[in-house]
Amino acid sequence: MEDYQNLLKGDDSVIKELSVKDFYRHLYELLEHLPAQRREVFILTYIKGLTAKEVAEQIQMPQRTVESHLYLALRFLKRHMSRNDYYILCAVFLSINLVTCFYNRDFTKHYDTKIVIID
């Protein structure tokens, strides 16, 4: 037990890694409570990095319906996450979207992907 406590005291990266894993575990547990199609839309958009238009084409659904699923998924997550976790979620997905745009050097491709912060 003492060795474990020393490890935690001496290495912040262990605590950060555990926190990140806990955050994503909690996120995926919450996603399991969404209807299957809403979960798929959320994962394709925010985790796989597709635009709402690309998701609509891939799963043959109107783009407005995709956007509605995203809004409802974020609303659900906001209700079931702590405020800090929800804002971390939004910041993580916003940064992923920006990195993807920069990496692809195509800033218009991901323009229609929206990060919605629900107050």
Side-chain angles (χ1 to χ4, degrees):
M1 184 66 145
E2 186 176 318
D3 289 338
Y4 180 71
Q5 288 175 341
N6 289 335
L7 176 66
L8 290 178
K9 286 180 188 175
D11 191 0
D12 270 351
S13 65
V14 171
I15 293 173
K16 288 177 188 174
E17 185 176 334
L18 290 173
S19 296
V20 168
K21 286 181 179 179
D22 187 50
F23 172 81
Y24 280 105
R25 180 191 51 76
H26 183 60
L27 172 62
Y28 281 100
E29 285 175 358
L30 289 174
L31 290 177
E32 288 297 318
H33 294 285
L34 294 175
Q37 201 168 42
R38 188 166 301 154
R39 180 176 51 247
E40 179 182 16
V41 166
F42 182 89
I43 290 171
L44 288 172
T45 303
Y46 288 115
I47 297 176
K48 304 253 180 186
L50 299 179
T51 64
K53 183 178 179 180
E54 291 168 333
V55 172
E57 290 169 0
Q58 182 173 332
I59 61 176
Q60 300 178 349
M61 173 186 293
Q63 184 174 337
R64 291 292 297 153
T65 304
V66 169
E67 292 166 355
S68 178
H69 277 303
L70 292 172
Y71 172 79
L72 292 170
L74 288 171
R75 192 171 83 177
F76 172 82
L77 292 172
K78 183 175 185 204
R79 285 188 196 151
H80 292 88
M81 294 178 112
S82 71
R83 183 181 202 141
N84 287 342
D85 280 352
Y86 179 74
Y87 288 128
I88 289 170
L89 174 77
C90 293
V92 165
F93 293 133
L94 179 60
S95 67
I96 288 171
N97 194 32
L98 291 175
V99 168
T100 302
C101 289
F102 181 75
Y103 179 75
N104 291 334
R105 298 188 191 280
D106 182 2
F107 294 96
T108 59
K109 179 180 179 190
H110 292 279
Y111 182 73
D112 70 336
T113 300
K114 299 176 181 115
I115 300 291
V116 179
I117 299 176
I118 303 167
D119 289 326

